[in-house]
Amino acid sequence: MTDPQHGPRTIELDLGPGVRAVFTTVHGGVSSPPWASLNLGMACGDDQGAVVENRRRVGAAVGAPVAFATQVHGADVVDVAGADAVRELPGTVGEADGLVTSATDVALGVLVADCVPVLLADPEARVVAVAHAGRRGVESEVVLRTLDAMVARGADPARVRAAVGPCACGDCYEVPEDMRADVAARVPATWSTTSWGTPALDLAAGVEQQLDRAGVASVTRVARCTIEDDDLFSYRRAGRTGDPTTGRFAGVVRITVPGR
Ligand SMILES: [Zn+2]
């Protein structure tokens, strides 16, 4: 954990040698409520200058500027050539829900506040990726399209290590009955019931099932629920107060050692 007085407080993951992988929390930024304090989302009403500073802090913490996409709940993947992409396209490297790179001078980021943030790395091929898997992303298999983009860069699923980050959990993520039926028909592991007995989706379990079936070597799940955990941003939890305006935290991954 980084001292919140001096930088972002993060959850560190081990995705193999030469790979840095973290999930940010709400702590360690400069934004004011309801975005306090480490909001990394440009499109949720926060002061743009504050978001730029927050992103700079996360980049400093991981050792490279972070590329973020404009996420549209699709399955497109953008190949990020390097840090120039962040300099040339400040704020966003394009409309996508997956990012992939082999560059060591840039980090990749995925923004969430209940959706599932996924980090992927093949430490041997030195290829990393992020994916944004909400309900629609699980249905459109964005995680598998992102894995395809890694394979195109030389990755092998049998070496890929994945981290499934904090999101709305299957005990909390209530949805209409027909929606649960539709999603679970495609991805059975998503079928869930809330702790109060109503239809729900376990999107993280769905992502895990998709990765397992694709032959991904290992999947680490961060068992923290955004709706239940005040250290994370949650659109659903914010909405319970009457105004869903809130920030976005991020999953961030980068390669720290050049390829062989
Ligand atoms: Zn929960």
Side-chain angles (χ1 to χ4, degrees):
M1 292 257 192
T2 309
D3 181 342
Q5 295 300 313
H6 296 97
R9 198 192 298 173
T10 57
I11 302 162
E12 305 278 336
L13 275 295
D14 179 7
L15 293 185
V19 179
R20 183 84 194 277
V22 306
F23 292 102
T24 65
T25 65
V26 302
H27 304 292
V30 298
S31 295
S32 305
W35 305 278
S37 64
L38 192 68
N39 168 45
L40 299 168
M42 286 278 185
C44 48
D46 193 2
D47 175 69
Q48 300 292 288
V51 179
V52 168
E53 170 59 16
N54 291 339
R55 288 183 172 191
R56 189 198 63 75
R57 288 183 179 201
V58 173
V62 300
V66 187
F68 291 100
T70 301
Q71 300 167 179
V72 293
H73 295 278
D76 288 344
V77 182
V78 164
D79 205 303
V80 180
D84 283 349
V86 184
R87 281 188 283 271
E88 286 161 14
L89 299 164
T92 176
V93 295
E95 283 193 0
D97 292 87
L99 295 175
V100 64
T101 195
S102 301
T104 55
D105 65 347
V106 69
L108 305 179
V110 52
L111 299 165
V112 287
D114 291 337
C115 289
V116 187
V118 185
L119 310 181
L120 299 152
D122 179 338
E124 196 172 317
R126 307 271 191 238
V127 181
V128 292
V130 296
H132 165 246
R135 190 254 312 168
R136 282 192 277 161
V138 169
E139 289 184 285
S140 63
E141 303 185 323
V142 63
V143 166
L144 301 184
R145 299 295 79 76
T146 305
L147 192 61
D148 291 343
M150 294 179 73
V151 170
R153 278 195 164 272
D156 179 348
R159 291 188 305 246
V160 169
R161 296 166 68 163
V164 176
C167 58
C169 85
D171 293 339
C172 293
Y173 189 53
E174 184 177 50
V175 296
E177 180 108 53
D178 55 347
M179 183 183 289
R180 175 175 69 174
D182 284 351
V183 179
R186 292 184 220 193
V187 191
T190 57
W191 179 277
S192 191
T193 303
T194 60
S195 56
W196 56 98
T198 57
L201 287 171
D202 187 340
L203 294 179
V207 168
E208 208 166 358
Q209 184 170 48
Q210 289 173 329
L211 292 170
D212 284 345
R213 287 181 173 179
V216 165
S218 81
V219 182
T220 303
R221 194 155 154 190
V222 179
R224 288 174 68 162
C225 171
T226 46
I227 296 175
E228 297 173 76
D229 190 333
D230 289 343
D231 289 332
L232 302 160
F233 291 113
S234 168
Y235 187 81
R236 284 253 176 140
R237 172 162 37 84
R240 288 174 182 170
T241 67
D243 178 0
T245 304
T246 189
R248 299 291 181 275
F249 68 97
V252 179
V253 66
R254 76 170 276 244
I255 308 160
T256 59
V257 181
R260 296 156 201 164

